[in-house]
Structures are given as C-alpha cells and as structure tokens.
Amino acid sequence: MAFLKLFGILLCLSITIIACEQLKHKTKPNVLLVLIDDMRHLGEEEVNLIHLNNLAGKSINFRNAFAQQALCAPSRNSLLTGRRPDSLRLYDFYSYWRDFVANYKSLPQVFKENGYDTYAVGKVFHPGESSNFTDDYPYSWTERPYHPSSERYKNYPVCYDRRTKSMQKNLICPVVTKNQPDKTLPDLEILDNTLKILNKRDSEKPYFLAVGLHKPHIPLKYPKKYKDMVPIQNVQPPRFPFKPENLPLVSWHPWTDLRSRDDIKSLNISFPLGTMPHKWTIKIRQSYYAAALYIDGLIGKLLSHINYSNTIVVITSDHGWSLGENGLWAKYSNFDVALKVPLIFYVPGMVPQTMDPPVELIDIFPTLVELSGLGINIPKCRNTNDRSILCYGGKSLVPLMKGIDSSDYFAISQYPRPSVFPQHDSDKPRLKNIKIMGYSIRTKQYRYTEWVNFNSTTFTIDWELIYGGELYNHHTDPDESNNLYTNIHYEPVKKYLSELLRNNYST
C-alpha cells in the first residue's frame, strides 16, 4: 500500500515536471522566417502582391529596410549571424566564417540552443563553401536542411524560344510546369516540404522554421499563368533608363549574368556601358513582376497553415534588384533598388503599424531574440574585429516597434570592386581581386557613398584614397539619378554624412 502511494506521488510529480516543460516551451512563440531570393521592395504601382500586402497590413511593416551587401552569400551570412560583411570577411562566395574568421553563433543556432527545433527548407544560407557545403548543419539546424531535387535544372535549356523555335537558357522563361523536368519547380517542392514539416510535427518544442524561396532570382522561370496576370501594356519603364552623366564609373556594373543568357546575348549589347533596349526593358520587368506574383501565391498558401496566435512571422529578402533604373540590372551595387527589401514582422498581440526609419537586415537577429523572450543577453559587437562568439552588429527594433525609441536611424551597406573601370568581374569580384570598397549610408533623406581603397589581404581601408563619391537627396530625387557629390551647396551635408559613415561602418 505504501509502495502504491509512493508510486502515485512519483507519477504525479513526473506528470507535473512534464507539464511544466511543455508549458515552458509553449510560452515561447514559434518563429517562421521567409527569405525570398532577389526580391526588391515592390510598390503597388508596380505589382499588387496580395498576400504580402495582407500580412503587412496586420504586422509591423518596415518600408525602408536595407541589405548589407547586394549579393546572396554575403547578405545571407550577414543576416543570419547579425554581423556586417567586414566582420565575416565575406564579400564573395568562397569562405566559411567559422573556419576563416571565428566560430560565431548564428541566429538559428541561438534558437536551437534555447529549446527550439530548427529547420531550413530551400535557400536559407547560400549553398556551397560560404556555408561549409552543409548549410551550417549541425550548428544551426536540428535536421539536415532540405533542397529541392529540381533545383539541379536551374540552368538547363528549358525555356522555349519562339524566335529560334528551340529550348534555350533564357533570362525570360515562363513555363508549363508539367512539361518541366520532374514535372515541378523548386519553389513548389519547397512549399510541399515546408507544409510536411508543419503538418507532421509532434514535438512539444517550439520551432524556428526558415524557408528560402528561389524566385524571382534569374532565370525568370515561373508558371506561365502568372505572366498573363501582368498585362505588358500596364508595365511602366524606369523613369531614368540610362547611365547618369555624373555617375562615377566605379559605381557602374555591367550585369554580366543577364548578358550571358541566350535571349539577352542575342541582342549584342555593347560591353560594359551599353543599355537594354526599351522593348526588352518592359519584357524583363513584366517577367520579374510575374515571378514575384508566383512567390506571393506560394507565401499565401504557406501562411494559411500558420497558427498566428503563437507564431512570429518575418518575411524579407537577401537584397533587392535593379530593373533598368539608371541603366542597371540585377544587384551588385549600392543603389536603393539593389539594397531595399520588404521587411515584415508579424508579432502576436502587437499593434500593426508602418515604419519609415531606415533599418538593416542585421537588425533581425537581435529583434527576434528579444521578441521570442529567450531570456539571454546578447551584447552589441564592439567593432568588426570583435571576435566574441555571440554578439550582433545591428540593433533590436523592438523599442522602435513599441514607440519608445526616437533615435535617428540609418542603414549602412557596401559593395566591392576590382577596379574603377567596369570589367567582366566587376559584378562579383573574388576576394583576392578586390581593390575598392564602396561604403554607403542611407538616412531618411539622403544616400551617401564613398568608393575607397581596400586591402583584401589585411582588410584595411584607406579613407583618404577616394575613387568616387555619390550623394542623392531622396526628397527631390528618389531614383538616385542626380549625383550631388560635387555640388558646392551640399558640402555641409556631405561632410556630416561622411563623418557619420566613417564613425559607424564598423559597428
């Protein structure tokens, strides 16, 4: 009898402990992070992304969010470690920070170490050397990250070209899905796998689920029906489709990835300063919008499976994409269109609002840690040489969300160049070839950029050796087409912004 009584007490105690553990986990919200590839900040005058706009309407919507570098691997590693490219010493695709610099903790790793199941589906870290060919598994993820099998056909000649009546490796590539290899597309597989994770989870732990969608990254390959949703007669050209006269050459990039596609190659556009024909500008913009609509539809399906009462949802992109503004295409620059991205935070119980101050993608790390109530204190990195295993270079946006921070916000970005004059590797120079770094600061009114001497062996900067400068007043020139750098009337502004940039680029 005494044994049974003792057994009953122990059983009740065990149940209580289990219940407490379950309660502890349930007090932590789930986190869904959606990373879209090459998605610029799109206004409704360009295309109406219904599902993203609906989510933005019930979320904290940051309308001026900027990437740290307009290139996939550096931007993703920066976002997922909360550190600037200078801290990771990654400006291309060919080094892994844990081996090359220090064993810094990543955002999903922090959640994993604090009781979360962490999953990666699709392109979260950039695949390859920059994430150790493992997407940083097992440090960051509970399970091996998932990649769609159909991704191997990314650059196959699967685009039917009416002009040649053949299959080509085109930039513009609307397709019939059932006619594609494997009868599917990568983002469709990514969505299916994500829903399987959500529907089959039986763990009591909260989850951190990162989903990386591939489009609208080129080639602009998407289900054909989305092109019909963007009538070409409604597509507007950029207001300034040519290289501005006062743009320093070091700022220009020749968008070689577009030039290498079969349909664009056939246009014989002069290298490196030639501009896209008007007809093709409209066609590319149409297909980019169509690819964005395709992704928006997939996000809508994903969000229909989310429990909003206990899930934080963050949607953003690794960087933006130029669509012919100032004669430029793709990323590879310090212009707003190449750096500005959507940034939406849905937080249960938080009042929806639209935020205009400039913020940065490295702000996501400390913001999510604070919002999730992990109960850990992560310090701010002292500078880019701070080798602390866990610190962040951005700032938590929670005070801004709650209206208790009135600071003057700004965003700092950068881009490397091998030379002043555009070359074949100006878009994506390898580390050993980088000679110049363009550091850019975006305030509410201005974008200011200095292209300065950079030593890629010692990782040092000579601020006194300037190869070009840019200053744009967004109140009068939102297209960044009128460079005011040499305008004597803006000397005080230039001096102020130069000091602000130089005093803050490393933090």
Side-chain angles (χ1 to χ4, degrees), residues 68 77-78 131 197 279 282 294 316 319 331 347 416 441 478 480 488:
Q68 271 47 72
N77 282 13
S78 180
S131 59
I197 290 174
K279 176 182 176 181
I282 299 298
Y294 165 49
T316 189
H319 47 71
K331 40 232 183 185
V347 184
I441 188 166
E480 298 181 339
I488 192 171

Side-chain angles (χ1 to χ4, degrees), residues 397-413:
L397 299 175
V398 174
L400 183 60
M401 293 174 173
K402 293 181 176 180
I404 56 176
D405 186 353
S406 59
S407 305
D408 289 330
Y409 278 72
F410 53 82
I412 294 176
S413 306

Side-chain angles (χ1 to χ4, degrees), residues 15 57 67-68 90 95 127 132 134 137 140 143 149 156 162 171 174 209 227 253 321 367 369-370 394 396 452 458 468:
I15 292 173
Q68 271 47 72
L90 178 69
S95 64
N132 201 34
T134 64
Y137 175 82
S140 289
E143 298 181 359
S149 60
Y156 273 44
R162 290 182 179 179
L171 171 67
L209 172 58
K227 185 177 180 181
H253 65 89
W321 216 75
T367 303
V369 168
E370 183 171 353
S396 173
V452 296
T458 61

